Amino acid sequence: KNSPPRQLASSLNDLGILKQDQAKFKESLVLLKDAYKIFIKNFGETDRDVASTLNNLALTLESLNDIDGAEKYYQKSLAIYLKLYSPDRPEISTIYNNLAYIYIDKDNLNKAEEYFKKSLELKINAFGKTHSLVGLGFMNLGALEYTMSKFESAEVNLLNALQNFKTSLNDNHIWFGLTNFWYSKILIEKAEYNRAEELIISALSVYKKNYDSEHPNIVSAYAELGVIKFHQKKYYEAEKLLIEGFEKI
């Protein structure tokens, strides 16, 4: 049975999450800090709700572009979860994933890769290789490795993601489109331009069903198609696509 302090802190935490969803991040920060203080005072630093509130604080700070603050709170939350639970808890995998994005923002790609790998390993252990969240883990890792010019491992991970999504998602899911986009970039590196074109067109089809026409991912996909047309020596089409893309940036 919840004690009054836990009820109060939980209510503040829930309200802070609501303000997050409403993009009222400064209000969210105040509420979550108040919840954190109550949890710490009454239940100590290793309480499960302290860990949860720290994670929520990190999310809010990340939205406020306080990347160092977000990293600190994610790491504190992770340390508590690792003390309280076995490593295969979903919360731990999520924090590893969130930390990976923090390290991308800090341009520490090796650290980001390390945390994506940790998150993926835990997801596989928890859900098996056929769960869509595992596919997302493969996609995130593959996309990052592409940006690190680790093309062979990126290709393996992106193909694993596509294989997963074929059974776990419908063809119009945005994760399918994103994975096709990233894999098309791998195929460009391999000079397989016709296959790359098929994938980017497939990605665009999915994007158009999920985004408005000015969305950055649609603009990027058209620009990528322009690059493919250039390599195919279809210069007029390439020029048109690239100019349109630059005008929308």
Side-chain angles (χ1 to χ4, degrees):
K1 186 176 181 179
N2 286 340
S3 63
R6 193 179 293 279
Q7 288 177 339
L8 174 59
S10 295
S11 295
L12 290 168
N13 182 66
D14 291 343
L15 189 54
I17 294 170
L18 176 63
K19 294 299 182 182
Q20 274 183 359
D21 293 340
Q22 295 172 337
K24 297 178 180 178
F25 300 116
K26 290 183 179 180
E27 293 178 46
S28 172
L29 188 62
V30 172
L31 290 161
L32 291 169
K33 282 186 174 180
D34 285 345
Y36 174 70
K37 289 175 185 176
I38 295 170
F39 282 133
I40 283 285
K41 180 180 178 180
N42 290 276
F43 307 108
E45 294 188 354
T46 58
D47 183 77
R48 68 184 189 280
D49 287 326
V50 170
S52 176
T53 304
L54 283 166
N55 186 62
N56 293 331
L57 274 165
L59 287 166
T60 293
L61 288 171
E62 191 173 358
S63 298
L64 289 167
N65 206 33
D66 183 353
I67 303 304
D68 289 336
E71 179 189 3
K72 180 178 75 173
Y73 283 126
Y74 279 137
Q75 290 286 9
K76 283 187 173 182
S77 179
L78 177 63
I80 296 169
Y81 278 127
L82 288 172
K83 286 180 181 178
L84 292 176
Y85 303 117
S86 63
D88 59 354
R89 289 275 296 199
E91 294 95 334
I92 295 173
S93 173
T94 299
I95 294 173
Y96 281 139
N97 196 71
N98 292 342
L99 278 166
Y101 282 111
I102 290 291
Y103 291 121
I104 289 171
D105 287 339
K106 298 181 81 166
D107 202 31
N108 188 343
L109 300 188
N110 289 324
K111 196 75 171 177
E113 182 184 24
E114 175 190 340
Y115 276 91
F116 271 146
K117 285 180 176 179
K118 287 182 177 181
S119 178
L120 176 58
E121 181 181 358
L122 292 183
K123 286 185 174 78
I124 292 172
N125 291 339
F127 304 119
K129 282 197 171 184
T130 59
H131 196 284
S132 60
L133 288 176
V134 172
L136 177 62
F138 279 123
M139 184 192 78
N140 287 337
L141 182 56
L144 175 65
E145 288 177 334
Y146 170 83
T147 66
M148 299 172 73
S149 298
K150 295 184 176 182
F151 300 126
E152 289 186 12
S153 56
E155 181 173 19
V156 170
N157 285 309
L158 291 169
L159 285 173
N160 282 336
L162 286 172
Q163 186 65 35
N164 175 292
F165 293 153
K166 284 178 183 177
T167 57
S168 64
L169 300 174
N170 67 66
D171 292 347
N172 294 321
H173 196 285
I174 193 60
W175 294 350
F176 238 129
L178 290 166
T179 308
N180 278 330
F181 173 82
W182 284 105
Y183 189 45
S184 74
K185 295 172 78 70
I186 294 289
L187 293 175
I188 291 171
E189 294 293 331
K190 297 174 69 175
E192 296 182 25
Y193 303 121
N194 291 336
R195 285 184 65 206
E197 181 181 17
E198 291 175 7
L199 286 180
I200 206 70
I201 289 171
S202 176
L204 271 167
S205 175
V206 175
Y207 286 177
K208 289 176 181 178
K209 293 169 183 173
N210 289 274
Y211 300 133
D212 63 63
S213 61
E214 301 296 316
H215 193 280
N217 283 354
I218 290 183
V219 175
S220 295
Y222 273 119
E224 203 68 26
L225 184 57
V227 171
I228 292 168
K229 295 293 185 183
F230 176 83
H231 286 297
Q232 293 172 326
K233 303 188 187 303
K234 298 176 182 179
Y235 299 121
Y236 175 78
E237 294 177 62
E239 182 181 24
K240 184 179 178 182
L241 287 163
L242 291 169
I243 289 174
E244 286 179 0
F246 283 121
E247 286 176 348
K248 290 181 178 180
I249 294 175

